[in-house]
């Protein structure tokens, strides 16, 4: 072969490493009471870093799900076919309890352990974590009907992935989906028009069209419909107890920007059979039990993407030479890389803190913390992905690098479970309806009082901001952004690496930070920060 085709100055693939070797994650795991899970976390991490798992992730995104509405004879079947590697990914996730398992585990820190494993395994492939997240989140909603919970919860927490259309109670394990939004309402679920009519035997018959149904191949679904007493939450199985298929017809799969390995569908209920969860008219309250848990996974998914992007960018910069030296030695590149790590660790520390709040039953803090952090962290993910991709130059724009897939996935978490404005307004709603959330928030962030003057000033400024009620809705994004960064800053000052905490406070609070990532002020310890993401 001609020497013009000699390959030089290209970065070797990152395989055969432990994705769980992440200082911020491991420190949070121990701090939040789940240090006992570290051996399994490393087991998941080594698998996540393997060439095999990375191939699974690549292939399922290049071989998307296919909808089969009818069989060869014209019978309605409504089945979604997946590449076998999709099931390999699901097998690992369920086997390691990334789904509903923590609800059946009384070990202190079970939800933190699950969050850490999801954070690590989600870096392999994001699409399949959607049904995994739904299965985790559905259980508090399912408990609104104790009889159904007793029937289904053991199967939703079982560590066996059992794919296929069968009677749910005949299977070894179940996966759950969610079907809320309709084309005329979107996030305004009270505008839903799907109707639920009592059948006289304790069940309802649902008629309507759902615009987005997550994971339509799941075994059971939580859904909303208008019952005689108002908007109500229901549980619908795909296969009824008598073995017949419920009349839930998949109209088409969505052609999405990213998350392409996962099927999202339009679903039609044609006299579908459903069981009520909670009382008639309490549908929003009941489904929010599920939403509040999937919002935690939005945080974890965004944080996982940031960690992946930071690690990949730093690896590229350490092996790629330009203008006389490797990129990582260039001062401006070091600024960019360090800022990527700072943003990543700030996302990790707040996501794990809120997972810990789940374990400890800190519902008031969790309520406000999730609302503000879901808004901000998920907003930062696309910005972070774009900057990490750019560190590769043209190589990052090529599919083989894996960075385009990261970039396409990044906006989803900000849209899922309430896009930016919905999340910001939800934070204001929480503070208005539950004033104790404000007290809980400041109790939390003031644990770091006196440790960093820049953070202290930011906390004081936030108090003043919240005391001004004029045009609060107009200012909602600014207010919620400030709350999220103050929470992140407090956690980093208390628990983070000094170099990371200093860089965060110097940039986010001291006014010495530009608009783009990579505008950290002079004097921050970029070397120490970058070393935290070396693999």
């Amino acid at each position: 072969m001609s020497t013009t085709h000699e390959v030089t100055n290209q970065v070797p693939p990152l395989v055969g490493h432990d994705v769980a070797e992440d200082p911020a994650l491991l420190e949070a795991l121990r701090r939040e009471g789940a240090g006992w899970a570290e051996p399994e976390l490393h087991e998941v991490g080594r698998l996540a870093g393997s060439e095999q798992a990375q191939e699974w992730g690549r292939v399922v995104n290049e071989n998307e799900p296919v909808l089969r509405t009818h069989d060869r004879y014209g019978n309605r079947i409504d089945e979604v076919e997946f590449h076998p590697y999709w099931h390999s990914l699901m097998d690992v996730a369920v086997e390691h309890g990334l789904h509903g398992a923590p609800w059946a585990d009384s070990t202190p820190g079970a939800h933190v352990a699950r969050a850490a494993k999801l954070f690590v395994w989600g870096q392999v492939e994001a699409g399949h974590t959607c049904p995994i997240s739904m299965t985790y989140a559905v259980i508090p909603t399912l408990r609104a009907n104790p009889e159904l919970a007793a029937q289904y919860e053991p199967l939703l927490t079982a560590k066996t992935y059992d794919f296929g259309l069968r009677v749910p109670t005949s299977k070894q394990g179940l996966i759950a989906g969610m079907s809320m939004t309709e084309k005329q309402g979107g996030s305004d679920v009270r505008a839903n028009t799907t109707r639920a009519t009592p059948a006289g035997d304790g069940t309802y018959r649902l008629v309507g069209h759902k615009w987005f149904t997550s994971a339509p191949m799941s075994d059971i679904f939580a859904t909303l419909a208008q019952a005689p007493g108002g908007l109500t939450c229901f549980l619908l199985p795909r296969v009824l107890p008598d073995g017949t298929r419920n009349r839930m017809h998949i109209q088409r799969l969505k052609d999405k920007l990213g998350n392409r390995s996962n099927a999202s569908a339009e679903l039609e209920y044609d006299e579908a059979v459903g069981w009520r969860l909670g009382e008639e008219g309490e549908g929003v309250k009941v489904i929010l039990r599920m939403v509040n848990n999937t919002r935690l996974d939005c945080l974890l998914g965004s944080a996982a993407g940031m960690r992946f992007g930071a690690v990949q960018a730093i690896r590229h910069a350490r092996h790629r030479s330009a203008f006389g030296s490797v990129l990582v030695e260039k001062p401006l590149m070091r600024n960019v890389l360090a800022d990527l790590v700072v943003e990543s660790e700030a996302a990790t520390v707040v996501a794990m803190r809120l997972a810990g709040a789940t374990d400890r039953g800190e519902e008031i803090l969790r309520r406000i913390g999730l609302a503000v952090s879901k808004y901000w962290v998920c907003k930062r993910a696309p910005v972070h992905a774009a900057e990490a991709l750019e560190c590769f130059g043209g190589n990052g724009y090529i599919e083989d690098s894996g960075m385009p897939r990261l970039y396409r996935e990044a906006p989803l978490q900000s849209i899922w479970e309430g896009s930016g404005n919905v999340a910001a307004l939800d934070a204001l709603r929480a503070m208005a309806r539950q004033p104790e959330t404000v007290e809980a928030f400041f109790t939390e962030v003031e644990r770091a009082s006196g440790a960093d003057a820049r953070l202290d000033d930011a906390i004081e400024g936030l108090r003043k901001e919240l005391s001004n009620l004029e045009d609060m809705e107009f200012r909602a994004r600014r207010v919620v952004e400030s709350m999220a960064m103050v929470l992140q800053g407090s956690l980093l000052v208390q628990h983070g690496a000094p170099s990371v905490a200093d860089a965060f406070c110097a940039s986010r609070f001291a006014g010495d930070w530009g608009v783009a990532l990579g505008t950290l002020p002079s004097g921050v310890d970029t070397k120490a920060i970058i070393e935290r993401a070396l693999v």
Side-chain angles (χ1 to χ4, degrees), residues 47-48 50-64 83-90 121-128 259-262 399 402 405 408-409:
L47 183 54
S50 69
E51 187 173 5
Q52 178 188 54
Q54 292 179 30
E55 182 71 356
W56 291 347
R58 181 188 67 81
V59 170
V60 297
N61 279 274
E62 293 180 0
N63 296 268
E64 298 173 25
H83 190 279
Y85 284 173
W86 167 271
H87 302 299
S88 299
L89 291 162
M90 291 289 290
W121 187 241
Q123 293 179 52
V124 174
E125 202 285 316
H128 80 289
N259 207 249
R260 301 187 72 87
S261 70
N262 177 44
E399 288 291 341
R405 174 152 56 99
R408 288 192 298 270
E409 291 287 351

Side-chain angles (χ1 to χ4, degrees), residues 418-499:
S419 53
N421 285 354
V422 172
L425 293 173
D426 183 55
L428 298 192
R429 188 180 305 113
M431 292 186 284
R433 294 181 179 178
Q434 295 176 276
E436 63 271 27
T437 59
V438 179
E439 180 181 348
F441 177 86
F442 280 106
T443 297
E444 175 69 20
V445 299
E446 287 175 349
R447 297 181 194 279
S449 290
D452 190 294
R454 298 162 297 190
L455 174 62
D456 291 343
D457 289 343
I459 294 173
E460 182 59 29
L462 180 59
R463 280 194 179 277
K464 293 177 181 177
E465 187 86 19
L466 290 176
S467 67
N468 176 15
L469 300 180
E470 185 177 354
D471 294 331
M472 182 62 86
E473 182 173 329
F474 185 81
R475 295 184 292 115
R477 285 190 174 214
R478 177 63 178 267
V479 170
V480 171
E481 172 184 312
S482 296
M483 293 180 72
M485 285 197 288
V486 163
L487 179 56
Q488 289 178 319
S490 174
L491 292 168
L492 287 172
V493 166
Q494 292 177 74
H495 310 299
S499 57

Side-chain angles (χ1 to χ4, degrees), residues 17-26 29 37-38 40-50 53-54 89 92-93 96 98 112-126 128-129 300-301 303-305 307-308 348 352:
H17 65 293
D18 182 355
V19 177
E21 282 296 341
D22 175 350
L25 179 67
L26 294 174
L29 182 79
E38 195 167 333
E40 186 183 7
L41 180 63
H42 284 295
E43 180 184 340
V44 174
R46 288 188 291 271
L47 183 54
S50 69
Q54 292 179 30
L89 291 162
V92 172
H96 288 282
L98 277 61
V112 170
R114 179 258 174 192
K117 288 182 287 186
L118 182 69
F119 177 95
V120 166
W121 187 241
Q123 293 179 52
V124 174
E125 202 285 316
H128 80 289
T129 65
L300 289 163
R307 173 65 182 179
F308 177 88
T348 300
M352 292 298 288

